[in-house]
Amino acid sequence: MLITLKAARVNCGYTINEAAKLVGVHMQTLSKFEKDSSKMPLSLLKRVAELYHISEDNIFFGNENEFIRTLRKK
């Protein structure tokens, strides 16, 4: 099952500011990747996946709006 970065963060109970500090990036950087994770560096992906306790394989890569449109079609 795929999940967006934002949904994974919210499921763990972190604010965007808290999560950004814990993975070592600016809040705006993490926010940018929550909206479109297609160009997220692998090193950041690994830190985020570990923080959110999810497998990298379960993270949706791409534009968050595309993910939502795909879910609505199902």
Side-chain angles (χ1 to χ4, degrees):
M1 177 178 194
L2 292 177
I3 188 170
T4 64
L5 288 173
K6 183 177 180 178
R9 174 180 56 78
V10 171
N11 285 346
C12 286
Y14 292 116
T15 66
I16 189 89
N17 287 323
E18 292 169 334
K21 284 180 186 177
L22 289 168
V23 295
V25 297
H26 192 276
M27 179 272 303
Q28 290 176 336
T29 302
L30 187 56
S31 178
K32 176 181 88 170
F33 288 125
E34 283 187 355
K35 292 176 184 151
D36 186 354
S37 59
S38 61
K39 295 181 181 172
M40 185 176 194
L42 185 59
S43 60
L44 179 57
L45 168 66
K46 290 180 183 226
R47 292 192 311 253
V48 168
E50 186 176 303
L51 177 65
Y52 298 164
H53 306 288
I54 59 173
S55 168
E56 296 167 23
D57 296 332
N58 292 349
I59 297 173
F60 173 76
F61 289 99
N63 187 296
E64 183 180 39
N65 292 330
E66 291 174 22
F67 182 77
I68 294 168
R69 273 182 276 214
T70 303
L71 287 178
R72 288 184 180 160
K73 288 180 182 179
K74 288 184 179 183

